[in-house]
Amino acid sequence: KFLADASILTGRYRDVSEDWYVNVGGAIVSQSVSAAIAPNIAIVINWPFNLLKQFLLRNRALTQRTLNQLFEGAELLLSKRYGALLNILFVIMTYSSAMPIMYFFGIIFFSSAYWCDKIAILRAMKRPAQYDEKLAVYCTLMMSVSMVIHLALSTWFFGYIDGDVIQIPFFDLLAIPFLIKKRISRKPATVVFFMLLCFLAFELLGRTVGPSFVQRIVQKIRGTVEEAKEGNPSFFEALENQEISGLDTYNIRKNPRYKDAFQSEIATDMAESDDSDSDDDDFGEDSD
């Protein structure tokens, strides 16, 4: 009843039959063609458009601010770009096992997206804002989710094909509907189903105890243990306690290796500081 109220599994086709491929699959493929080309063209078309606009309006800007905005370019919203990438990714991973031509559309989209984004960022768009790693890490997590969906639906699609039935141990003891057991037990689907289980186990271990466990194994093999990094003083604490060897500043002018290159600027700074000191002395005498 919940699925019916949510309009899930209530369509015309009960399974991936020939009619489903003709009507539903054909519509998905035609939409994927435009989705694989249009977003990248839309972002790279800003380059010639900006060049034309700059050529026509560069002598008509009334203020310097208007002229600067003309040559800055449009703003690149990374969130929208990630949304377009995830959209085509999930569509491809959902239906590619039933329609392998979707892989071709994915190759076209992601390969052209690399070059179009590169051209747009370097030639057409404004310098993007500084982002942290949260959005990239989230999209990486969504890739794993799309892989789970891909393997799960691949099991269902391949289970539609007639094949040898494989007896899976303890499978009959699970409270799973008979139709799902029948689809998973068919030979093409069984292999993909076990790949799904292995991938879920890999993701679970990789995001929990896996990294620390692998690190311990590597340390045992190499026979070395990393020193604890806790308790290291900050830069200013180490500077105050005279624990820094070598230079104690990031000022390039105080580095002896670059002393000759900045000799004139150092002399100018020293002269300006002397002038400011003399002005302070004169001000003190006048006040007296």
Side-chain angles (χ1 to χ4, degrees), residues 39-275:
N40 296 330
I41 294 179
I43 192 172
V44 79
I45 200 68
N46 288 282
W47 185 23
F49 178 74
N50 287 346
L51 292 178
L52 179 61
K53 186 171 67 172
Q54 292 166 8
F55 177 77
L56 296 176
L57 302 178
R58 60 184 179 181
N59 295 326
R60 299 183 181 182
L62 299 179
T63 62
Q64 184 65 40
R65 177 179 296 180
T66 305
L67 186 62
N68 293 341
Q69 292 176 352
L70 178 64
F71 282 85
E72 279 182 352
E75 185 176 359
L76 178 63
L77 295 178
L78 195 60
S79 57
K80 291 186 177 180
R81 193 59 181 156
Y82 268 119
L85 296 174
L86 291 178
N87 177 44
I88 191 68
L89 174 66
F90 271 83
V91 172
I92 292 172
M93 297 297 280
T94 300
Y95 298 104
S96 57
S97 56
M99 297 176 289
I101 195 174
M102 300 290 288
Y103 293 119
F104 177 70
F105 298 146
I107 294 173
I108 293 177
F109 176 80
F110 287 105
S111 58
S112 60
Y114 171 78
W115 290 105
C116 290
D117 288 344
K118 191 172 185 178
I119 293 172
I121 292 175
L122 297 178
R123 303 297 181 186
M125 296 293 185
K126 188 187 300 184
R127 179 180 294 180
Q130 297 293 329
Y131 294 93
D132 56 12
E133 75 284 356
K134 292 181 180 179
L135 187 57
V137 172
Y138 175 77
C139 290
T140 304
L141 176 61
M142 289 298 102
M143 291 180 184
S144 299
V145 174
S146 68
M147 190 63 185
V148 173
I149 296 175
H150 175 70
L151 293 175
L153 291 178
S154 297
T155 304
W156 183 259
F157 289 139
F158 293 161
Y160 182 76
I161 304 172
D162 291 332
D164 298 334
V165 177
I166 298 177
Q167 297 296 329
I168 303 175
F170 307 106
F171 200 60
D172 295 333
L173 302 178
L174 300 177
I176 301 176
F178 175 76
L179 179 60
I180 297 178
K181 289 183 180 180
K182 182 180 178 181
R183 297 290 279 261
I184 295 176
S185 299
R186 289 177 178 173
K187 189 174 183 179
T190 305
V191 178
V192 182
F193 178 70
F194 278 106
M195 291 177 61
L196 173 62
L197 296 180
C198 293
F199 182 78
L200 289 174
F202 174 79
E203 284 291 321
L204 182 61
L205 293 176
R207 298 182 184 278
T208 53
V209 298
S212 59
F213 181 72
V214 172
Q215 185 178 8
R216 291 181 181 179
I217 293 178
V218 172
Q219 291 176 356
K220 292 293 184 181
I221 294 175
R222 294 181 178 178
T224 58
V225 179
E226 294 185 359
E227 296 181 358
K229 297 182 180 180
E230 299 167 356
N232 291 339
S234 64
F235 174 78
F236 297 102
E237 292 178 354
L239 180 63
E240 183 179 357
N241 298 329
Q242 297 181 354
E243 298 177 359
I244 297 178
S245 60
L247 295 175
D248 58 356
T249 178
Y250 290 107
N251 190 349
I252 195 172
R253 298 179 181 179
K254 295 186 178 181
N255 191 328
R257 297 177 59 184
Y258 302 97
K259 183 177 181 180
D260 296 335
F262 293 94
Q263 189 66 35
S264 59
E265 295 185 11
I266 294 174
T268 302
D269 293 342
M270 293 178 63
E272 292 178 354
S273 62
D274 292 340
D275 292 340

